[in-house]
Each structure stands twice: as structure tokens, then as C-alpha cells.
């Protein structure tokens, strides 16, 4: 087969090395033997993790500021007051902040508001950490993980004062509708 101008030797069939009786489940209901969905039935992601180069200027803040401003993803409820170092205030979830320029600006304009920011692009996380250090911003925490998982597992219902989503759906083709972040189910989770 020819893929992007290169000749690839890809077999038309895939061998099945599974022992007899270990076939894939006939339906999603049949796959919950241990309570977990089958790996082939996992949720589609609304993003593609871009392979970008993290510069030294972006990597240094990970070591210096990461322990203070990065919130590790854990599938358990997050204590927002503790995550923000005892700061009490309204919390805004920011999804996909890119390189963090708008996030840093908004956080300085609204110093009484806490911003929990989700981004999966490592150079962007590093860039925002760098801005936090340069501008002495204290009301931002970053979770470098999928925002849908953060909402589902880390945030309690009713804890957010707002949500910022900038440029959420780069999936412009109709066949990619299923990948778009802004879907009725997701909006209902936020409401």
C-alpha cells in the first residue's frame, strides 16, 4: 500500500493469536467481566497529543515551578482549597490554554479567582509555567491531563464558577464530529 508517497508492506489480514474462546466480546455489555470496559471500547479523545519540542526555557520551569503549580491527575476528588495553597475563591476551569498567554493575562486581571487549567501539550504547559514565574502569578494550577477525565474524576459537582474553552474543535470535517469536545453530553457535565 502507498501511504503519503511511501510504499508500505502492510498485510491485508491480521493474525489472531488469541486462544479459542478468547475472542472479542460480541457487544459492549459482554465485555464487563471485571467492571472495566474492554480496551477497544474506550472513549474517543477530542485532542491529538502534538509532538512538539520543549525548549530549555519551557523545561526549566517544570523543575523549578512544577512542584508548586502542577496538580497531578489522580482519579479521586481534588481538594481545591488545598491545591491552591489555602486560597479560597471562585474557581474557573480552563480547557486547552495552548501556550498560556491569554490564561496568564486573565489570571492577572482577576487575581481573586482561582484558575485550574488543563492542557496536554507539554511545551504549552512549560510556557505557562514560565509566564507564572515571570509575572509572579499565584492563582493558577495546571493539570497536564485530559479535561474530560479531570471533570469526571477530580471535580465535585457545583465547585466551578466558570469554564473557559478556547478553540475547542479543530475537527472541521463532518466525519470528525464524534471527536469534538463541545457535545451535548459534555455541556451537561459542565452545567
Amino acid at each position: 500500500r502507498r501511504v503519503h508517497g511511501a510504499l508500505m508492506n502492510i498485510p491485508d489480514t491480521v493474525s489472531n493469536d488469541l486462544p479459542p474462546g478468547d475472542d472479542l466480546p460480541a457487544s459492549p455489555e459482554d465485555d464487563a467481566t471485571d467492571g472495566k470496559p474492554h480496551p477497544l471500547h474506550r472513549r474517543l479523545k477530542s485532542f491529538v497529543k502534538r509532538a512538539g519540542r520543549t525548549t530549555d526555557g519551557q523545561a526549566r520551569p517544570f523543575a523549578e515551578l512544577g512542584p508548586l503549580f502542577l496538580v497531578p491527575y489522580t482519579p479521586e476528588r481534588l481538594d481545591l482549597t488545598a491545591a491552591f495553597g489555602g486560597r479560597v475563591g471562585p474557581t474557573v476551569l480552563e480547557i486547552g490554554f495552548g501556550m498560556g498567554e491569554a490564561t496568564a493575562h486573565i489570571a492577572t486581571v482577576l487575581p481573586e479567582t482561582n484558575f485550574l487549567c488543563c492542557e496536554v501539550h507539554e511545551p504549552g504547559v512549560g510556557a505557562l509555567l514560565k509566564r507564572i514565574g515571570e509575572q509572579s502569578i499565584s492563582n493558577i494550577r495546571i493539570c497536564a491531563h485530559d479535561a474530560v477525565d479531570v471533570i469526571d474524576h477530580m471535580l465535585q459537582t457545583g465547585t466551578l464558577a466558570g469554564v473557559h474553552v478556547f478553540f475547542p474543535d479543530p475537527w472541521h470535517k463532518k466525519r470528525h464530529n464524534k471527536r469534538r469536545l463541545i457535545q451535548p453530553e459534555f455541556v451537561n457535565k459542565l452545567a
Side-chain angles (χ1 to χ4, degrees), residues 59-72:
R60 198 173 309 109
F62 271 101
E64 296 170 4
L65 300 172
L68 296 172
F69 296 98
L70 290 176
V71 176

Side-chain angles (χ1 to χ4, degrees), residues 78-90:
L78 175 66
D79 179 354
L80 289 171
T81 303
F84 283 92
R87 282 178 49 97
V88 177

Side-chain angles (χ1 to χ4, degrees), residues 35-70:
K36 296 179 184 176
H38 191 277
L40 296 177
H41 295 148
R42 61 183 166 245
R43 174 180 58 83
L44 285 173
K45 299 284 186 192
S46 65
F47 62 89
V48 173
K49 210 163 181 184
R50 298 177 288 160
R53 188 177 146 267
T54 303
T55 66
D56 290 338
Q58 294 165 344
R60 198 173 309 109
F62 271 101
E64 296 170 4
L65 300 172
L68 296 172
F69 296 98
L70 290 176

Side-chain angles (χ1 to χ4, degrees), residues 23-41:
D23 297 327
L24 290 176
S27 69
E29 296 83 33
D30 296 339
D31 65 358
T33 57
D34 60 355
K36 296 179 184 176
H38 191 277
L40 296 177
H41 295 148

Side-chain angles (χ1 to χ4, degrees), residues 17-178:
D17 296 328
L18 295 174
D22 283 353
D23 297 327
L24 290 176
S27 69
E29 296 83 33
D30 296 339
D31 65 358
T33 57
D34 60 355
K36 296 179 184 176
H38 191 277
L40 296 177
H41 295 148
R42 61 183 166 245
R43 174 180 58 83
L44 285 173
K45 299 284 186 192
S46 65
F47 62 89
V48 173
K49 210 163 181 184
R50 298 177 288 160
R53 188 177 146 267
T54 303
T55 66
D56 290 338
Q58 294 165 344
R60 198 173 309 109
F62 271 101
E64 296 170 4
L65 300 172
L68 296 172
F69 296 98
L70 290 176
V71 176
Y73 171 78
T74 56
E76 54 193 41
R77 297 295 181 212
L78 175 66
D79 179 354
L80 289 171
T81 303
F84 283 92
R87 282 178 49 97
V88 177
T91 301
V92 172
L93 176 67
E94 181 147 338
I95 300 172
F97 56 78
M99 297 305 279
E101 185 175 351
T103 302
H105 176 73
I106 293 168
T108 57
V109 171
L110 300 171
E112 72 287 345
T113 303
N114 294 329
F115 292 91
L116 178 61
C117 306
C118 294
E119 177 60 68
V120 295
H121 185 55
E122 188 175 307
V125 173
L128 181 56
L129 284 169
K130 183 179 177 188
R131 291 177 201 279
I132 288 170
E134 292 171 348
Q135 300 174 26
S136 299
I137 302 170
S138 62
N139 59 336
I140 292 177
R141 296 298 180 270
I142 302 168
C143 187
H145 194 77
D146 182 6
V148 176
D149 289 340
V150 171
I151 292 166
D152 286 345
H153 303 289
M154 293 181 73
L155 298 176
Q156 294 180 14
T157 305
T159 58
L160 298 176
V163 178
H164 294 172
V165 183
F166 300 114
F167 308 107
D169 295 320
W171 306 98
H172 62 280
K173 294 181 179 175
K174 187 175 181 179
R175 69 175 180 239
H176 293 298
N177 282 347
K178 63 188 173 209

